[in-house]
Structures are given as structure tokens and as C-alpha cells.
Amino acid sequence: MWTQHWPLSELRDVDRAARKIIVENGGKHPASLTSLLYLPREKGGRGLRSVEHEYKITKIKSLLKLYQNPDPTVEAVREFEEHAMASGHQSLVKEAAKYAEELNITLQLDTLNPVCVTTDGKVVTAARAGNLLKQSQEKQFLESAKDKKWQGKLFRIRWEDESLSIANCFAWLKGWATCPTHTIAGMYELYEQLLPTKLYTKEKTQTSTDGEVLCRLCGKVAESVAHVLAGCSSLAQTKYLYRHNAALKILFLSSCESMG
């Protein structure tokens, strides 16, 4: 029911428990970005739904429907909610307006014709509000991931490169519905630079004993995921198959070392 009030702390606990189960079962690296879980798969996310965010969107859509409905009984409900807000009590109007502001949307609650207004002045009718709310939510998750200089770096390059099609970049993630969870988790460790290369163990986990970051093959550049897969001169001088196997080998050795 739209009238049901849930404390956000409880909803966040549900989301947190869900993420914990995913991590414990190998579906997500502990240091992986939370925001990527809630992005659509075609944009490089995992397609998970957040209970907290679904609750907030439901509140906003319910308020818009409340103001759209011409039924006299519903009008009484509107007046009750407005009076509750004016009296400083809990109110659907107050809650929904607050949640909309978090998405950078302003609600104009004209009776029978409520609309949403974006920061750039775009007016969206209540009938199309669902798509706007979804897009605004996705934008927030994208911006959150882009702000992360380590895990979000390679994703940010893909999202912002005009020569690349995001849909094509992550087509395998959307189209391969039966892809094993551990395979997806492994690919995300590559995307987010979470494999235990020398640079990662020194800069991120700070578990490196000697502080050495140069590549163990070429010894010229810091050993990162991007360097091992595409920039190592020692690997580039060999045939493709050998280069591919060597790259996997060095990442495997790094993983073994990190596990002791």
C-alpha cells in the first residue's frame, strides 16, 4: 500500500543483507562498487533492484496518481495529506517531494495535472514520470561510479568514449542471461582493477612487502590490469595466443600470491 510507511534504515538493512549474500557466494568482490549492482546490465551494471530506491519511486508515483485522480473520495485523501503536511505530521506529499528532490526533480502538484520538472526546466507529465524517475536514478548510480578513481576508471572510459557504443560494450552481459555468476564476477574484477597486481597490492590493499610495482615481465611500467592485458612490451612481442595465455598466467600468479 502507498500509505505504508517504512523506516529507510530498515530498507537499507535489507539491501545491505542482500549484497552480503552476493559477496559471500562469490557473486561480487568485497571492494566492488555498490552502484554498479543497481545499474542496468546493458550499461555495465548487474541489474539488481534496490529496495530503498524502489520504495522511494513508488512513493513519488503514488503521489502523482493521487493528484491525477478526479474521484471525490480521492480528493478527500489529498486534503488529508496536505493538512498532515501543514501540521508537521508524516505525509505522503512531504515524503514524495523529498525523494524527488534527491533525484533532482521538482514536483508541481496541480490538481488533476501534476508534473515533474527537471533541473534543466524540462516538464514531464505524470504519465511519463516512471521513465524519468528511472533515468534519474540510473544517472545517480552512473555519477557515483564515475567518481571512483580506481574501480570506476575503466568504466568511465567506456561510458565517455564517443567512438564506443555502450550497448555493444556490454552486449554480452545483457544477452548472455545464463552466464555463470562467478564468470561475471571475474570480469568485473578486471573492469574494476581489483585483481592483485603489484600496483593494486601497493596502492589499494597496501599488502605489498617490498613496495615494488614494476611489471614482473617487462620491468618497465607499473604492473596494472590495463598494462598486463594491453600494454606490456614483453607480451606484445609474441603471438596473440601466447600473449593471451601469458596475461592470464600473470594474473593467476598474482591471485595465488595474494592467497599466500
Side-chain angles (χ1 to χ4, degrees):
M1 293 289 291
W2 62 267
T3 55
Q4 178 65 49
H5 174 76
W6 291 90
L8 293 183
S9 58
E10 293 184 7
L11 300 180
R12 288 166 185 156
D13 287 341
V14 173
D15 284 332
R16 193 177 297 112
R19 294 195 299 268
K20 183 179 180 181
I21 292 173
I22 293 173
V23 171
E24 290 177 346
N25 288 275
K28 175 182 177 293
H29 190 284
S32 181
L33 295 178
T34 298
S35 55
L36 290 176
L37 279 175
Y38 302 115
L39 273 175
R41 292 169 76 96
E42 62 267 21
K43 294 185 179 180
R46 302 293 293 273
L48 190 67
R49 295 292 187 90
S50 165
V51 177
E52 177 190 353
H53 290 92
E54 290 298 315
Y55 171 79
K56 291 179 177 179
I57 287 180
T58 299
K59 284 284 187 178
I60 298 171
K61 292 167 69 174
S62 297
L63 180 63
L64 293 173
K65 288 183 178 180
L66 184 64
Y67 273 80
Q68 268 187 303
N69 199 321
D71 190 291
T73 305
V74 176
E75 182 179 357
V77 176
R78 284 198 301 268
E79 292 177 354
F80 173 82
E81 293 291 344
E82 291 172 352
H83 178 72
M85 182 180 66
S87 302
H89 299 301
Q90 178 184 308
S91 167
L92 174 65
V93 179
K94 183 178 180 179
E95 283 184 321
K98 177 184 177 182
Y99 299 152
E101 286 180 6
E102 293 176 1
L103 297 174
N104 297 316
I105 296 172
T106 301
L107 300 180
Q108 292 185 357
L109 301 174
D110 298 329
T111 304
L112 303 184
N113 189 33
V115 296
C116 301
V117 182
T118 62
T119 52
D120 58 0
K122 181 181 179 181
V123 178
V124 179
T125 62
R128 299 180 179 274
N131 289 333
L132 175 63
L133 295 173
K134 180 180 178 181
Q135 291 170 4
S136 299
Q137 189 182 82
E138 290 177 6
K139 184 178 179 181
Q140 285 194 343
F141 289 136
L142 275 171
E143 294 302 322
S144 176
K146 287 180 179 180
D147 288 341
K148 304 300 180 182
K149 296 182 179 180
W150 188 278
Q151 293 99 318
K153 180 180 180 180
L154 299 183
F155 277 101
R156 184 171 62 253
I157 292 173
R158 285 173 175 247
W159 290 327
E160 297 178 351
D161 192 333
E162 295 180 357
S163 64
L164 294 176
S165 168
I166 296 179
N168 290 335
C169 283
F170 303 106
W172 70 273
L173 190 59
K174 180 183 179 182
W176 191 4
T178 58
C179 181
T181 301
H182 289 277
T183 300
I184 297 177
M187 289 299 297
Y188 270 78
E189 289 181 24
L190 285 172
Y191 286 149
E192 297 182 81
Q193 305 183 91
L194 294 176
L195 290 174
T197 58
K198 287 188 175 182
L199 188 63
Y200 177 77
T201 55
K202 179 179 184 298
E203 299 295 336
K204 295 298 291 181
T205 63
Q206 299 181 352
T207 56
S208 175
T209 55
D210 55 8
E212 178 61 55
V213 298
L214 292 180
C215 176
R216 67 196 75 185
L217 288 181
C218 69
K220 300 176 182 178
V221 184
E223 184 184 284
S224 64
V225 171
H227 171 73
V228 172
L229 294 179
C232 182
S233 58
S234 296
L235 296 177
Q237 295 172 3
T238 60
K239 293 182 179 180
Y240 170 79
L241 182 59
Y242 177 77
R243 181 168 68 250
H244 176 72
N245 290 338
L248 293 179
K249 180 179 179 181
I250 193 172
L251 294 176
F252 173 73
L253 291 174
S254 298
S255 300
C256 292
E257 290 176 2
S258 68
M259 293 186 292

